[in-house]
Amino acid sequence: MSVRVAHLVDEWRPTVAELQGDHHFARLALGSWLGDSKGSLVEDEFIKTKIWDTLVSEGFSYRSLLVLENLRLLESLLWPKFSEDSSDDHILLITIISNVKSREGLPVWDVFTASPDPFPLFFRRVLSMVIDTSISLKLRSHLLSFIALAFQSLDSIVVRKECAPLVSISIWHNLQNDQARERLLVHAPQWRKNWRASNKRYEAGDEEIKQRLRYERSWLFALIVNFLSQVSAEESSDDSVRYCETFIDLLVNLESQLPTRRYVNVLLLDINLLPIIRLSKLYNDEDNVLIRDLYTLLRHFIYFPVDESTGAELSQNESYEKHCAVLATLQRTALKYFKEKLTILALSNYGAINKRSELEGHLAPLTDQELLDLTGILGFRAHYPESSGITVDRRLLMELLLTHHEQRPSFQNSIQRLSILPTETSLFEPMMLRNERYNGSTPLAIPKLNLQYLTTGDFLWRSFILHRLEAFFGIRKDIEDVLKRLQVRFTAPGQPLRFDGFSKMALESSSPGILEAAEPLVGEEVPAFVRAEITVDISSLNNGVRGEWDALKPDDVIFLLHVTAPVTAEQRMNGSRGLSDAEAAGLKSLRAAEVVQVLEENGRKVQGARGDALDEDGYRVKPRKRRILINLDPVAYKADMDRVGQGKANVYKSINLVVRRKGRENNFKQTLSSIRSLTLSDVPITSWLQEVFLGYGNPAGASYPHLPKKVHSLDFRDTFLEWNHLVQSFPGRVIEPREEVDSSFPPPYVLDFPQPAEAETSQPSRKRRRGQADAPVATKQVEKVQVSTYSPPNNGPYPTDAPKLNGIRFTPAQVQAIVSGTQPGLSVIVGPPGTGKTDVAVQIINNLYHDFPHQRTLLVAHSNQALNQLFQKIIALDIDERHLLRLGHGEEDLGSNEDYSKHGRVESFLRNRSKFLREVDRLAANFGVHGAHGNSCETAGYFNSVYVRPAWTQFTRILEAEDATIDEIKDAFPFYFYFSNAPQPLFPDNVTREQAATIAQGCYRHISKIFAELEDIRPFELLRSQRDKSNYLLVKEARIVAMTATHAAIRRQEIAQLGFRYHNLVMEEAAQVTEIETFIPLALQNVKDGELPLERVILCGDHQQNSPIISNLAFRKFANLEQSMFLRFVRLGVPVINLDQQGRARPSIANLYNWRYQNLGNLPLVESEPEFQTANAGLAHDFQFIDVPDYKGVGEAEPTPHWIHNLGEAEYVVALYQYMRLLGYPAAKISILTPYAGQRALITDVLNHRCAKNRIFGLPKIVVTVDRYQGEQNDYILLSLTRSAKVGYLRDIRRMTVALSRARLGLYIFGRRAVFEACFELREAFERLLERPDKLQLVTGEMFPTARAVKDSIPETVQMEGVEHLGAYVFEMTQAKVEALKKGKVPAQIENGTGTDEIMDDTLQEEL
């Protein structure tokens, strides 16, 4: 269903032909605002008659609106032509087109910030129109949507400036009376101060300012009154329902952020908005399900447990005490004023009166007047403007009393009641289906991820709700796909179903046999676990699919289904309308279960192919069945058994199918469990990051210059290569040696950062009244950085003792990032493609490892690939391997001989134990001591204390004696025999006394390290189980622990319960990670003494590239689930460090995307290294866009929704790949990219057909989608854009940035020029691409590598007119090569498969 909706949305998008003149608005644009006049002659009447009236007649067709948006109507006409004389239609068009931009995920506010002067006037017009009842509800809904969008975009200065006054404390002028306001002010001194300031500002203004302030403080109240008039109406039109839905969504937006909620919440409670909505016919109409769901969401936020004045989250105990105080007020009032009728209420305990039904019974004896008096005494509003249509009657008075005094479940309790394992009911509930049908035209009753959150608990609640919905959406899509593939059919009555299709993800199953239902745990009602067994037939599966089923692991979630044949359209017409959506799809019931173990038919553990039974002839017998032990969902099981007790059918007896999912997509249960446990545990975020995380206070408050724990002296070890590098790394600062040093000196460098003066650290107020001049900027003194050095310790005489040093000459921006990351606090590092953010992260880790030896660092990345790249660079630095640990899957791709997993590290410790104990035996021989000194770590420690340390102590006395000669020192050295295998003499002939002391100390360090490592290994001798050893390694030994964000989410509870502690968090690809996946690593440890030990958070990423991938349109667009914490911090104004020099690509290729970044330049190496100076052999250009027309009359094709491919481009890409291979380009240096999975599959098919089995060509390094290739690079990239009718999601410039920035030396793009050239968002890139010919140009007579330089003039070229031309050209070249090979020039090498490429290249060169 979601696929159909998304497909429909894509169908709405205009084609290139429509934008170039086929659509009537395109013809209008080309003749006016996009024509030669550029709209200069367009008048407001033109906008009214030619655009507005046409849209009205079309019913505001979304396709027409998209056409107008693509035609730059807002940027080129509406906003430039806006003035105070503009008509209402003009205003409405601006808001509608802005809403379309938001719906399409495009930047909305750029056009307004580029020309901000008219925005205040425009926004005030919008505010006036939205409360103008003469404008239709449909149009006012568009205005409300625009205002809601504005309140979600408070990071924009022009927007925030206009929105803030509308929700300031001045709106409290609309409270029912002064007494109600005074009751609030008396409890919050800050509120009283703000109230006085507001009144003072009003009194000080002239009449114009007073009029504006009166309007601002009354606007929201007037809007609410308009809403109440719609709610109280007896009849509601579709437009009225839509208007009310949009208005409630606006209120949800206001209530879900503290700056907009603080004063608005009081006003909504004063108006009694929730009781009025609940009693309305609109709410109680069974068709208005969305209204009721939005009401529930609004109710959640209105009563969210947060202190409005301070913003502090209220604990469950504090919330209950607050509720009890409300009940106590009611009881005192009842006893004082209504003693005769409410005595029982006054004397009851709180538990007896906090439920709606019980409280209603207590209040029933009161007359209407008495109810009115009671509400008045309690301070409730009883009067409303006549225009609101609200009648204060008994129903309303009773409802507001019940609503105010009933006990509401906490958000923690509501989460606890939600199951994280689905059933058919939860997968197909109405809200799920409504979310799936979302197309952007209506709001949804789901929380959004905003710029700001009320509390940490609020963020976790929203994340849980959204990720649960996203997980269930993915499960339902997989289930529907399985049922579609199986093609379930009825046979004869009473006969089993027939499956005409096949899915490797599903097997027919027996009904589960219940083995054990364990007793509930203390305080629980559901069984502790429910053990069951199912049997599946695997006899028809091939070895690969059978292996996948056998590979099911403990805790993997599988799904037990009862399926029937789906209902046909004809059956629906003939009486099957009452069926649910699940039943209509053929799904009668679904239960989730967790795998315990997969067993063979005889009950033995599955051993794989080698464990299969053998027949009498010794051949393996193909297994027929598997038994799967499972744990059923205990919550669903309890509910099912309760229904059985009521006489209903047992769903488990009708189970006939078992479904599994891909492992990567099936970790939802562990992730949701982690989020829920965090929500319930009150785990705080570290205090210094709290405000910035929630989005309040000073955005720079968590950066190291603003933290009291700033380290003023840091050892940067090998960060700087020499003195000039150090000086160049701090432009604008004075670098001076310490007093004891006279001149420059080599590294290592210890930098002393001076304590900033108090005046420099204080932050000016961000608030500035309108018209107030900027304060003069104080002159800032040039900062001085003092530098000192030291002699690195001698670690021993062996080459392995020498430290591994950094060889990268970091740029000033990179150094700034390294300094920030080494200091305590939050560091946000923006790394454009090729700017070395991974190298920066690695150097930060290296510095932390050496400067803070008692601290531990957690390293997290989005993907295994990125994590492995980072880990490989860490391994190359001077970091002891015993302190490295890699958790999760993916370490097998690390490309290292060492195994850094838990098991591998334990094995490494045990191997090192044997090696070091042998060294102990050598030391014993050095002293001539016999015995079992090297038997164990314990005996080695004893030997160290008895022999080694005393010998060194005695030698130290001689070394420190002033009269000791060099010969005496040499003779006294106690370890001569042990170091006899050193590669050079320990003490050279001309050694000085100081040098001899240094050499001796280095030798002792070498020996001390052996015993230190043996002491670390000793626990592994004592611990017996592998699990205990692995856990000890994680908790005690590892100092740098790496894992993916997914692994952290899955294993959060397990890791935290082990007592894992860490002080630094480094996250790579942070812009690709969802907010909750970033948050969980922040809370991967439990609180100790009320605080987390986390001192540093370093986020590295690039928000200009791809965001987290969210498949559901509603969650991606409406709920903003694709928002990363990295991007949110950037939007909030958190200080970022922009890396500004790239060293990946040729400058000409980097020029295609460097416009996306501020001042992105090139490192010298990309202009000086030979590989960047050499041209691409056989190709006229280092990058080129190749226009691909229809191939055999066909361009792009879409056989199934979202499965888009383009045969012409696939053939063209493969032909160019073949051409490059014929010239000698290594296949491993060529990657083929495309945005679409369908095109990737097609290119793979063409490659397999033309190249895979041909040794001349082979296969390229990878064929992959652009999204999967972020973070990767290759020398030569062939990119197929695929689309030939419309741009599609490539209009998202972030995805195109990724595509353009993967190539180092050559980038060749295949696409339809007319499509992408017309896209405004891609204009900068394509203007640069199309400066060169759009037909592939080849250079003859060259082989790889060529001697031609890039700067040389291009020799004679051959232009390819199309794919057929290149195909014929490649065919001729291939024939020439084959003929050359047939001549027998190199038969031996070809037969042996060695040297083929080189020899064939020489042969082809001769042919050319």
Side-chain angles (χ1 to χ4, degrees):
M1 189 179 302
S2 177
V3 173
R4 292 198 299 271
V5 171
H7 183 59
L8 180 60
V9 171
D10 191 57
E11 284 297 314
W12 286 337
R13 294 192 173 97
T15 64
V16 173
E18 288 178 308
L19 296 178
Q20 291 181 341
D22 285 0
H23 197 279
H24 57 87
F25 277 136
R27 293 192 292 274
L28 182 67
L30 293 172
S32 51
W33 68 87
L34 295 183
D36 295 335
S37 64
K38 299 295 183 184
S40 59
L41 303 178
V42 175
E43 300 293 338
D44 208 51
E45 184 63 24
F46 173 89
I47 295 174
K48 169 73 169 64
T49 58
K50 299 296 185 181
I51 302 176
W52 178 257
D53 290 347
T54 305
L55 285 173
V56 171
S57 66
E58 294 177 351
F60 293 95
S61 160
Y62 191 63
R63 189 180 190 89
S64 292
L65 291 174
L66 279 175
V67 169
L68 289 171
E69 193 282 319
N70 275 269
L71 293 170
R72 313 290 296 163
L73 176 68
L74 176 62
E75 295 84 352
S76 300
L77 179 62
L78 295 179
W79 190 240
K81 286 293 181 180
F82 172 76
S83 68
E84 60 182 354
D85 299 324
S86 296
S87 65
D88 288 352
D89 302 330
H90 194 148
I91 304 294
L92 283 163
L93 269 176
I94 293 176
T95 60
I96 290 171
I97 297 299
S98 298
N99 292 340
V100 170
K101 280 184 170 292
S102 173
R103 190 167 162 181
E104 292 295 302
L106 300 171
V108 175
W109 306 108
D110 290 356
V111 61
F112 301 114
T113 53
S115 179
D117 293 340
F119 189 79
L121 173 62
F122 161 73
F123 199 75
R124 286 194 292 272
R125 288 282 301 274
V126 172
L127 298 178
S128 300
M129 291 170 64
V130 80
I131 58 176
D132 185 353
T133 55
S134 65
I135 297 176
S136 70
L137 287 171
K138 183 174 183 178
L139 296 180
R140 278 190 279 161
S141 296
H142 288 297
L143 295 169
L144 276 179
S145 296
F146 179 80
I147 294 171
L149 178 63
F151 275 102
Q152 292 179 69
S153 309
L154 297 179
D155 54 315
S156 172
I157 297 176
V158 296
V159 175
R160 184 170 64 245
K161 186 177 178 182
E162 301 306 317
C163 288
L166 304 176
V167 292
S168 68
I169 199 171
S170 65
I171 66 174
W172 283 6
H173 282 280
N174 301 288
L175 298 182
Q176 55 179 309
N177 51 45
D178 294 342
Q179 292 77 13
R181 183 168 55 249
E182 186 61 29
R183 284 195 296 271
L184 295 165
L185 297 178
V186 74
H187 292 298
Q190 184 60 43
W191 282 355
R192 185 177 294 279
K193 180 180 177 182
N194 294 345
W195 176 255
R196 288 173 177 170
S198 174
N199 289 336
K200 190 175 181 180
R201 187 159 54 250
Y202 177 81
E203 296 298 333
D206 55 24
E207 188 56 36
E208 181 181 352
I209 291 177
K210 287 182 177 179
Q211 182 180 358
R212 176 173 53 78
L213 293 176
R214 285 195 298 270
Y215 180 81
E216 289 172 348
R217 71 193 190 193
S218 63
W219 174 83
L220 182 59
F221 184 76
L223 187 63
I224 294 173
V225 170
N226 276 353
F227 168 73
L228 295 179
S229 68
Q230 296 300 320
V231 168
S232 61
E234 290 296 321
E235 300 293 334
S236 299
S237 64
D238 290 343
D239 288 345
S240 175
V241 173
R242 181 64 52 80
Y243 174 84
C244 291
E245 292 169 349
T246 309
F247 178 79
I248 297 176
D249 180 60
L250 170 62
L251 292 184
V252 169
N253 289 328
L254 296 178
E255 286 282 337
S256 60
Q257 300 184 95
L258 193 62
T260 57
R261 165 201 175 87
R262 180 171 279 125
Y263 306 118
V264 170
N265 195 57
V266 172
L267 181 61
L268 297 185
L269 290 172
D270 178 81
I271 293 173
N272 303 315
L273 187 70
L274 291 177
I276 292 172
I277 295 175
R278 183 176 179 130
L279 292 177
S280 68
K281 287 189 175 181
L282 189 72
Y283 176 90
N284 291 285
D285 187 336
E286 63 178 12
D287 293 333
N288 295 334
V289 180
L290 180 56
I291 289 286
R292 288 191 288 277
D293 289 344
L294 285 167
Y295 165 87
T296 302
L297 186 61
L298 177 62
R299 183 172 179 268
H300 164 84
F301 280 113
I302 284 179
Y303 291 116
F304 192 85
V306 60
D307 188 311
E308 311 292 355
S309 59
T310 64
E313 181 174 356
L314 302 179
S315 67
Q316 294 193 59
N317 287 336
E318 290 171 330
S319 297
Y320 183 69
E321 290 173 1
K322 184 178 179 181
H323 175 68
C324 290
V326 172
L327 292 177
T329 301
L330 174 63
Q331 288 184 316
R332 288 194 297 269
T333 303
L335 191 62
K336 182 175 181 179
Y337 297 100
F338 306 95
K339 185 174 182 180
E340 293 182 2
K341 295 185 177 181
L342 299 181
T343 300
I344 297 177
L345 182 150
L347 300 178
S348 299
N349 61 58
Y350 294 148
I353 60 174
N354 62 7
K355 293 183 176 59
R356 172 177 283 264
S357 58
E358 295 172 352
L359 184 58
E360 188 173 11
H362 286 296
L363 296 174
L366 296 180
T367 65
D368 293 356
Q369 184 59 45
E370 288 171 332
L371 271 178
L372 183 61
D373 294 341
L374 175 60
T375 55
I377 295 169
L378 292 173
F380 291 102
R381 180 191 286 266
H383 302 283
Y384 293 87
E386 184 177 348
S387 60
S388 68
I390 300 299
T391 302
V392 179
D393 55 13
R394 183 181 182 85
R395 290 177 64 245
L396 178 58
L397 295 173
M398 183 66 78
E399 179 60 35
L400 66 89
L401 285 170
L402 297 178
T403 300
H404 186 68
H405 293 95
E406 68 178 334
Q407 184 175 9
R408 293 167 291 274
S410 67
F411 70 90
Q412 293 97 335
N413 290 338
S414 66
I415 277 185
Q416 206 162 11
R417 289 199 299 266
L418 287 174
S419 173
I420 57 178
L421 291 175
T423 65
E424 77 283 357
T425 304
S426 58
L427 288 184
F428 287 85
E429 63 182 350
M431 186 178 71
M432 287 287 298
L433 299 177
R434 183 171 61 242
N435 295 339
E436 193 172 338
R437 298 186 185 105
Y438 174 76
N439 59 17
S441 61
T442 58
L444 294 173
I446 55 177
K448 303 183 184 78
L449 298 186
N450 294 336
L451 268 178
Q452 300 164 320
Y453 301 108
L454 301 179
T455 65
T456 305
D458 171 44
F459 163 73
L460 290 169
W461 176 82
R462 299 190 207 192
S463 297
F464 179 84
I465 297 297
L466 291 174
H467 282 273
R468 178 177 179 268
L469 291 172
E470 170 75 2
F472 283 15
F473 165 78
I475 292 169
R476 185 155 53 81
K477 291 290 98 186
D478 288 345
I479 296 296
E480 289 176 344
D481 180 68
V482 164
L483 296 181
K484 180 180 177 182
R485 291 176 181 274
L486 287 177
Q487 301 178 30
V488 186
R489 300 288 185 266
F490 275 121
T491 55
Q495 297 297 316
L497 292 174
R498 187 178 78 243
F499 296 97
D500 289 347
F502 172 76
S503 171
K504 68 177 184 177
M505 311 304 291
L507 289 173
E508 291 188 65
S509 167
S510 65
S511 59
I514 308 300
L515 304 179
E516 180 184 5
E519 291 296 322
L521 300 175
V522 177
E524 298 287 341
E525 296 180 355
V526 301
F529 64 87
V530 180
R531 185 67 47 80
E533 181 181 277
I534 59 173
T535 302
V536 295
D537 186 346
I538 60 170
S539 59
S540 61
L541 302 181
N542 62 40
N543 290 337
V545 176
R546 175 163 60 88
E548 292 177 8
W549 281 94
D550 288 345
L552 287 173
K553 305 184 299 296
D555 299 328
D556 281 353
V557 178
I558 58 175
F559 303 93
L560 311 178
L561 280 61
H562 173 204
V563 299
T564 63
V567 177
T568 64
E570 183 180 355
Q571 289 172 325
R572 279 180 176 268
M573 296 296 294
N574 293 332
S576 297
R577 293 179 180 273
L579 294 176
S580 67
D581 289 274
E583 292 173 321
L587 179 62
K588 297 288 287 186
S589 61
L590 178 146
R591 296 293 179 269
E594 293 181 86
V595 173
V596 176
Q597 193 174 19
V598 181
L599 303 173
E600 294 180 354
E601 191 173 0
N602 56 14
R604 293 184 303 180
K605 184 179 178 180
V606 173
Q607 300 295 328
R610 294 185 178 181
D612 292 342
L614 302 178
D615 63 13
E616 57 185 13
D617 296 324
Y619 292 100
R620 291 192 182 96
V621 178
K622 192 172 184 180
R624 295 176 52 253
K625 295 183 182 297
R626 288 284 188 256
R627 296 161 57 186
I628 306 177
L629 290 180
I630 56 176
N631 283 335
L632 297 174
D633 178 5
V635 176
Y637 180 82
K638 172 71 165 53
D640 292 333
M641 292 302 101
D642 290 344
R643 282 192 288 269
V644 170
Q646 298 169 5
K648 297 186 178 179
N650 187 337
V651 298
Y652 299 98
K653 292 185 177 180
S654 55
I655 296 295
N656 57 3
L657 193 71
V658 58
V659 176
R660 63 183 175 90
R661 301 178 72 210
K662 295 178 181 178
R664 186 182 181 87
E665 303 164 357
N666 204 35
N667 49 38
F668 71 96
K669 179 181 181 293
Q670 295 92 329
T671 301
L672 293 177
S673 295
S674 294
I675 302 173
R676 183 161 67 179
S677 69
L678 282 170
T679 309
L680 300 177
S681 65
D682 294 328
V683 173
I685 196 169
T686 185
S687 58
W688 57 266
L689 188 59
Q690 176 90 13
E691 284 196 355
V692 172
F693 170 74
L694 294 177
Y696 309 128
N698 180 9
S703 302
Y704 80 89
H706 303 272
L707 293 178
K709 290 185 177 181
K710 177 181 177 181
V711 181
H712 299 293
S713 182
L714 282 171
D715 181 0
F716 284 89
R717 293 175 54 81
D718 57 350
T719 302
F720 306 102
L721 303 185
E722 29 80 14
W723 182 264
N724 285 336
H725 182 206
L726 173 65
V727 173
Q728 294 166 5
S729 297
F730 293 95
R733 296 187 186 183
V734 174
I735 308 299
E736 59 181 21
R738 290 286 295 269
E739 296 177 359
E740 62 270 18
V741 183
D742 296 331
S743 61
S744 63
F745 44 83
Y749 298 121
V750 178
L751 304 188
D752 292 344
F753 298 94
Q755 174 71 32
E758 188 65 28
E760 294 180 74
T761 58
S762 61
Q763 291 294 313
S765 172
R766 296 178 66 189
K767 295 183 178 180
R768 182 162 61 92
R769 297 180 184 175
R770 300 184 186 187
Q772 178 181 336
D774 291 329
V777 179
T779 304
K780 190 174 181 180
Q781 295 182 351
V782 177
E783 183 177 339
K784 294 182 179 180
V785 179
Q786 291 190 327
V787 187
S788 60
T789 189
Y790 59 91
S791 297
N794 185 324
N795 292 322
Y798 300 104
T800 54
D801 293 324
K804 304 172 186 175
L805 299 179
N806 161 60
I808 299 173
R809 191 178 186 87
F810 292 111
T811 67
Q814 289 175 321
V815 169
Q816 183 186 359
I818 293 169
V819 171
S820 176
T822 309
Q823 290 279 6
L826 172 66
S827 300
V828 180
I829 303 170
V830 178
T835 51
K837 60 180 178 289
T838 302
D839 293 321
V840 168
V842 168
Q843 190 62 33
I844 291 172
I845 293 168
N846 188 36
N847 289 351
L848 294 176
Y849 176 84
H850 290 284
D851 289 354
F852 305 94
H854 300 295
Q855 293 188 0
R856 312 174 79 195
T857 299
L858 177 64
L859 178 57
V860 179
H862 169 61
S863 63
N864 280 306
Q865 196 170 14
L867 194 62
N868 288 340
Q869 289 176 353
L870 197 56
F871 215 68
Q872 284 171 336
K873 293 191 175 185
I874 292 174
I875 295 168
L877 292 179
D878 189 30
I879 294 176
D880 198 327
E881 290 185 350
R882 65 195 171 109
H883 292 143
L884 297 175
L885 178 62
R886 168 77 161 81
L887 297 182
H889 300 290
E891 69 274 358
E892 60 272 9
D893 301 324
L894 195 53
S896 170
N897 294 328
E898 289 289 332
D899 184 354
Y900 292 92
S901 66
K902 275 186 181 181
H903 176 76
R905 288 293 83 205
V906 170
E907 293 299 316
S908 175
F909 269 81
L910 297 179
R911 286 196 305 271
N912 289 342
R913 172 183 177 273
S914 301
K915 179 179 72 174
F916 291 136
L917 289 178
R918 287 195 297 270
E919 295 300 304
V920 172
D921 286 336
R922 288 186 62 234
L923 278 168
N926 177 85
F927 289 106
V929 179
H930 301 287
H933 304 291
N935 269 15
S936 68
C937 297
E938 183 179 5
T939 59
Y942 179 79
F943 174 78
N944 183 35
S945 61
V946 172
Y947 293 99
V948 177
R949 287 178 189 166
W952 176 253
T953 302
Q954 183 177 356
F955 173 74
T956 303
R957 293 194 191 101
I958 298 173
L959 193 63
E960 293 174 351
E962 295 182 1
D963 57 347
T965 65
I966 294 295
D967 292 335
E968 289 174 339
I969 292 175
K970 290 181 180 180
D971 293 339
F973 185 66
F975 307 112
Y976 256 117
F977 176 78
Y978 177 76
F979 288 105
S980 60
N981 60 350
Q984 68 281 329
L986 282 182
F987 300 101
D989 294 337
N990 57 349
V991 68
T992 65
R993 180 188 178 92
E994 290 75 13
Q995 289 172 338
T998 300
I999 293 170
Q1001 289 166 352
C1003 291
Y1004 186 65
R1005 285 192 188 94
H1006 177 93
I1007 293 172
S1008 298
K1009 183 180 178 182
I1010 293 174
F1011 290 104
E1013 295 210 22
L1014 284 172
E1015 186 63 26
D1016 288 341
I1017 295 171
R1018 185 176 178 184
F1020 294 95
E1021 288 185 339
L1022 305 176
L1023 297 170
R1024 293 305 174 195
S1025 74
Q1026 184 70 25
R1027 182 181 183 86
D1028 289 342
K1029 291 177 181 179
S1030 298
N1031 292 339
Y1032 180 86
L1033 175 69
L1034 171 64
V1035 175
K1036 296 295 184 181
E1037 282 299 323
R1039 288 183 52 202
I1040 299 174
V1041 180
M1043 65 185 75
T1044 63
T1046 301
H1047 185 83
I1050 292 172
R1051 301 297 180 190
R1052 190 263 156 195
Q1053 297 178 73
E1054 176 186 334
I1055 293 173
Q1057 287 171 0
L1058 288 173
F1060 175 59
R1061 314 293 286 174
Y1062 57 98
H1063 307 82
N1064 314 302
L1065 170 64
V1066 179
M1067 178 168 281
E1068 261 279 42
E1069 295 181 324
Q1072 282 188 274
V1073 181
T1074 61
E1075 281 222 69
I1076 191 62
E1077 288 179 320
T1078 306
F1079 180 88
I1080 288 176
L1082 293 173
L1084 209 59
Q1085 53 192 332
N1086 291 327
V1087 178
K1088 185 177 182 180
D1089 300 327
E1091 184 60 276
L1092 296 174
L1094 191 63
E1095 294 187 14
R1096 295 171 184 82
V1097 176
I1098 299 106
L1099 303 180
C1100 305
D1102 182 6
H1103 57 290
Q1104 305 285 17
Q1105 297 187 59
N1106 283 341
S1107 60
I1109 298 174
I1110 305 298
S1111 57
N1112 184 283
L1113 181 67
F1115 308 141
R1116 184 172 70 249
K1117 298 289 188 184
F1118 183 82
N1120 204 21
L1121 190 56
E1122 68 173 356
Q1123 173 176 273
S1124 65
M1125 191 183 295
F1126 186 95
L1127 174 59
R1128 187 166 68 88
F1129 282 170
V1130 172
R1131 291 181 62 195
L1132 284 169
V1134 172
V1136 301
I1137 300 166
N1138 292 286
L1139 306 185
D1140 56 5
Q1141 289 183 276
Q1142 70 87 26
R1144 171 185 294 173
R1146 298 183 193 270
S1148 57
I1149 295 177
N1151 189 50
L1152 298 174
Y1153 56 85
N1154 61 11
W1155 57 275
R1156 290 274 292 150
Y1157 302 94
Q1158 185 177 5
N1159 302 322
L1160 179 58
N1162 302 305
L1163 288 171
L1165 68 91
V1166 299
E1167 297 175 350
S1168 60
E1169 290 293 322
E1171 65 175 343
F1172 294 104
Q1173 293 180 332
T1174 305
N1176 295 341
L1179 297 162
H1181 306 285
D1182 49 16
F1183 72 83
Q1184 198 175 358
F1185 178 87
I1186 297 101
D1187 185 32
V1188 183
D1190 287 351
Y1191 178 63
K1192 298 182 179 179
V1194 179
E1196 69 176 65
E1198 192 171 4
T1200 59
H1202 294 298
W1203 192 257
I1204 301 172
H1205 58 70
N1206 186 318
L1207 181 59
E1209 287 188 22
E1211 293 282 6
Y1212 217 147
V1213 167
V1214 173
L1216 180 55
Y1217 167 73
Q1218 291 177 304
Y1219 171 75
M1220 295 174 72
R1221 291 290 292 131
L1222 288 168
L1223 296 188
Y1225 284 86
K1229 292 184 177 293
I1230 305 173
S1231 294
I1232 299 178
L1233 309 186
T1234 178
Y1236 294 94
Q1239 183 71 352
R1240 182 195 62 79
L1242 180 59
I1243 292 173
T1244 302
D1245 286 344
V1246 176
L1247 282 168
N1248 288 335
H1249 178 69
R1250 301 193 187 281
C1251 304
K1253 297 179 181 180
N1254 191 325
R1255 289 183 300 170
I1256 296 176
F1257 303 120
L1259 294 176
K1261 180 178 181 179
I1262 194 170
V1263 181
V1264 67
T1265 59
V1266 171
D1267 290 349
R1268 295 287 183 188
Y1269 207 61
Q1270 181 164 339
E1272 295 297 304
Q1273 64 183 34
N1274 207 346
D1275 287 357
Y1276 307 97
I1277 297 294
L1278 310 183
L1279 172 63
S1280 170
L1281 298 180
T1282 310
R1283 304 306 296 262
S1284 62
K1286 58 190 71 172
V1287 176
Y1289 65 37
L1290 277 175
R1291 193 178 181 189
D1292 184 347
I1293 187 59
R1294 295 174 300 179
R1295 185 169 277 107
M1296 184 61 78
T1297 301
V1298 176
L1300 295 176
S1301 59
R1302 300 306 97 196
R1304 297 182 66 249
L1305 304 177
L1307 173 64
Y1308 302 95
I1309 305 173
F1310 299 83
R1312 186 66 58 91
R1313 173 173 182 164
V1315 170
F1316 296 96
E1317 186 179 28
C1319 180
F1320 178 82
E1321 286 74 18
L1322 308 179
R1323 182 183 60 184
E1324 285 278 353
F1326 275 84
E1327 281 182 352
R1328 303 176 190 203
L1329 280 169
L1330 296 175
E1331 290 174 356
R1332 298 180 176 181
D1334 63 3
K1335 294 192 176 186
L1336 182 63
Q1337 294 187 322
L1338 309 180
V1339 177
T1340 60
E1342 284 188 342
M1343 295 297 294
F1344 178 88
T1346 182
R1348 174 167 57 94
V1350 173
K1351 62 183 180 181
D1352 294 345
S1353 59
I1354 300 175
E1356 183 179 350
T1357 63
V1358 176
Q1359 181 167 288
M1360 298 293 104
E1361 298 301 326
V1363 59
E1364 295 91 344
H1365 188 181
L1366 180 60
Y1369 194 80
V1370 168
F1371 178 77
E1372 292 177 4
M1373 290 179 64
T1374 307
Q1375 290 294 103
K1377 176 168 279 193
V1378 171
E1379 289 300 321
L1381 294 174
K1382 286 181 179 180
K1383 295 178 181 179
K1385 295 183 178 180
V1386 286
Q1389 291 89 336
I1390 294 176
E1391 288 177 5
N1392 294 332
T1394 59
T1396 307
D1397 277 356
E1398 292 78 3
I1399 298 169
M1400 288 195 296
D1401 292 340
D1402 293 340
T1403 305
L1404 183 59
Q1405 183 68 63
E1406 294 175 10
E1407 293 294 324
L1408 292 172

